[in-house]
Amino acid sequence: MPLVRHVGILTGGGDCPGLNAVIRAVVKSAILDHGLRVTGFLDGFAGLLEDRRCELSFDDVSNILTQGGTILGASNRDNPFRVPIHGPDGVRHEDHSDRAAETLERHGVDALITLGGDGTLSIADRFARKGVPVIGVPKTIDNDLSETDVTFGFDSARAIATEALDRLHTTAASHHRILVLEVMGRNAGWIALEAGIAGGGDVILIPEIPFHYESLRESILRRTRRGRRSSLVVVAEGTPSPGGGSVVRKLVEGSHEPVRLGGIGSVVAGELENLLPFEVRYVVLGHLQRGGSPTPLDRILGTRFGVAALRAAVDGAWGTMPALQGDRIVRVPLADAVARLKTVDPEGERVAVARSVGVVFGDERRL
């Protein structure tokens, strides 16, 4: 078993509620259970490349459990294996992963714990294959990582989207409108599906189930004939338009996620207003889903993941991450976790439950 005295930690990718809960758990368990030093690298992998870091003490992580975001800063643009170099002939990319690994060696860091989603953990997996002692922790509001039943950050985002629907119900009913709520999730429909069920959405549009406007039109007209004069439509940002692809808000060069989705809510609202004799408005929830205090579930899950990640580092279980399977925290290979996206099963129990209570997904079977 390797002797670990000094642990590094960083937060990559987008921020989300629960990151500070993990940082706190790693630092406190490192100090209390194992007598280890902990160094935080700032702004994700940029901190490794640029040697920007801070020592983390017990006091540094006190009272951060309830805070959203991350005290270490985050970045979703810095990939040590693909660093953009600007020159007279344009931009080329170079592999600077050795420089990042040398930062760890220079400061005597025996293990690196990386908190992130599929992009960050894919980078962590590449470091593990290079022999760097790395442990991953699954973070994403999108809940799209394989091998774990849920990622921390998802419950907080789901709760925020559900609260938004609760508020939209009253204004939709007051003005007899159709209101469209666009939520995050990239190419997975978990936030839209579960918030839509919890918030009483009438229509849920997700990337996993192709929809048709005629189906939406007929379903909303049926509601009107039953005396329902308002409807709520929840749409995941990665849902493709009928006959087209996903709606792209912008492209960000140099990011490991260059395609930034967004705008499908506006498209759906515009089409429905052309098809129906009702006023249609749309709301883009956006980064509100990433901010604010984590829910109790995310605080607990983040704490469990943090303690488990530190134990994996002490045990030398490199190239793994803690995952929630049932009610147990288990170790799984990073390579398995990032091998595929975990998406909604169109024939799964959650979709079937939603259909049973009258939710429309806009597919042909509902015509």
Side-chain angles (χ1 to χ4, degrees), residues 14-266:
D15 67 308
C16 78
L19 284 166
N20 284 327
V22 181
I23 296 169
R24 171 181 177 269
V26 168
V27 172
K28 287 196 168 186
S29 61
I31 294 171
L32 292 175
D33 292 343
H34 305 283
L36 307 180
R37 291 174 56 203
V38 182
T39 291
F41 290 93
L42 306 180
D43 302 327
F45 288 106
L48 275 184
L49 288 169
E50 300 166 9
D51 197 4
R52 293 188 286 111
R53 67 199 187 283
C54 62
E55 197 86 3
L56 292 174
S57 69
F58 210 92
D59 289 341
D60 292 322
V61 298
S62 294
N63 300 318
I64 68 170
L65 179 63
T66 63
Q67 295 178 22
T70 164
I71 63 170
L72 296 177
S75 170
N76 56 9
R77 297 176 67 97
D78 298 286
N79 180 349
F81 292 90
R82 186 176 166 79
V83 175
I85 305 298
H86 298 269
D89 298 326
V91 180
R92 71 180 191 279
H93 293 87
E94 296 182 353
D95 184 346
H96 288 189
S97 58
D98 287 341
R99 190 175 87 196
E102 288 165 4
T103 301
L104 297 175
E105 186 176 354
R106 184 166 58 254
H107 296 293
V109 176
D110 304 307
L112 177 67
I113 296 175
T114 61
L115 284 55
D118 61 329
T120 298
L121 296 186
S122 293
I123 295 171
D125 180 52
R126 292 189 67 178
F127 272 119
R129 294 172 186 273
K130 284 175 64 78
V132 175
V134 64
I135 304 292
V137 180
K139 169 243 48 162
T140 172
I141 68 169
D142 304 328
N143 197 36
D144 59 359
L145 275 172
S146 299
E147 303 300 316
T148 184
D149 292 348
V150 68
T151 57
F152 74 88
F154 171 66
D155 185 62
S156 298
R158 175 177 57 189
I160 293 166
T162 300
E163 181 184 359
L165 286 168
D166 291 346
R167 294 176 180 275
L168 290 174
H169 268 291
T170 57
T171 185
S174 297
H175 292 277
H176 314 306
R177 289 171 174 159
I178 300 170
L179 288 182
V180 179
L181 178 68
E182 179 184 316
V183 299
M184 285 182 167
R186 293 194 301 171
N187 296 308
W190 293 108
I191 296 176
L193 174 62
E194 298 205 0
I197 294 173
D202 304 301
V203 176
I204 299 175
L205 305 178
I206 58 176
E208 297 87 347
I209 301 178
F211 77 93
H212 305 275
Y213 284 112
E214 184 60 26
S215 176
L216 300 187
R217 188 180 84 85
E218 290 300 320
S219 66
I220 292 172
L221 289 176
R222 282 198 301 269
R223 283 178 51 79
T224 304
R225 290 192 289 269
R226 295 198 305 268
R228 301 290 185 254
R229 299 177 66 188
S230 64
S231 296
L232 290 187
V233 179
V234 189
V235 56
E237 64 182 356
T239 303
S241 297
S246 298
V247 180
V248 176
R249 177 169 52 89
K250 66 177 180 178
L251 298 173
V252 181
E253 187 177 350
S255 172
H256 73 270
E257 295 174 15
V259 177
R260 302 296 166 85
L261 299 171
I264 184 63
S266 172

Side-chain angles (χ1 to χ4, degrees), residues 273-357:
E273 196 155 50
N274 289 332
L275 292 171
L276 293 163
F278 306 114
E279 186 177 358
V280 184
R281 301 287 180 88
Y282 71 93
V283 176
V284 180
L285 203 51
H287 283 74
L288 285 172
Q289 293 156 99
R290 292 192 177 279
S293 185
T295 59
L297 190 153
D298 277 338
R299 297 179 198 185
I300 295 168
L301 184 59
T303 300
R304 294 174 72 187
F305 277 166
V307 170
L310 195 280
R311 288 175 178 167
V314 170
D315 291 344
W318 315 131
T320 67
M321 76 172 197
L324 180 67
Q325 295 183 358
D327 193 44
R328 298 176 57 241
I329 302 293
V330 300
R331 292 174 189 169
V332 300
L334 280 172
D336 292 348
V338 300
R340 62 177 179 84
L341 288 181
K342 182 183 72 177
T343 55
V344 174
D345 180 1
E347 304 300 325
E349 185 262 349
R350 287 175 177 81
V351 172
V353 164
R355 292 189 192 277
S356 292
V357 297

